[in-house]
Amino acid sequence: GGAPIVGDAAQWADRIAQGADVLRQHAIEGYTGTTGFMPAKGGRLDLSDDEVAGAVDYMVGESS
């Protein structure tokens, strides 16, 4: 779906520049952009919003 590779700072740079709140919202609610799509909660609707937000924070930390 066009997801950036965790740890690849170049792939994450534009996403990180949008801010953590935007990234969390896109991960929780889903998002379609020019480089691909993200289904709501990555298709794992059994995850809580806090779990998804924590995963986003981890991926950003590993990729910045």
Side-chain angles (χ1 to χ4, degrees):
I5 297 170
V6 175
D8 187 324
Q11 288 184 2
W12 278 89
D14 289 341
R15 289 170 174 89
I16 291 171
Q18 295 177 37
D21 290 338
V22 170
L23 291 176
R24 292 182 197 119
Q25 178 183 4
H26 289 171
I28 292 166
E29 297 176 5
Y31 178 77
T32 300
T34 58
T35 60
F37 67 95
M38 169 70 176
K41 296 185 177 183
R44 290 284 311 271
L45 299 179
D46 58 313
L47 297 175
S48 71
D49 290 356
D50 287 340
E51 289 171 315
V52 174
V56 169
D57 293 345
Y58 170 79
M59 290 185 285
V60 167
E62 292 293 311
S63 305
S64 52

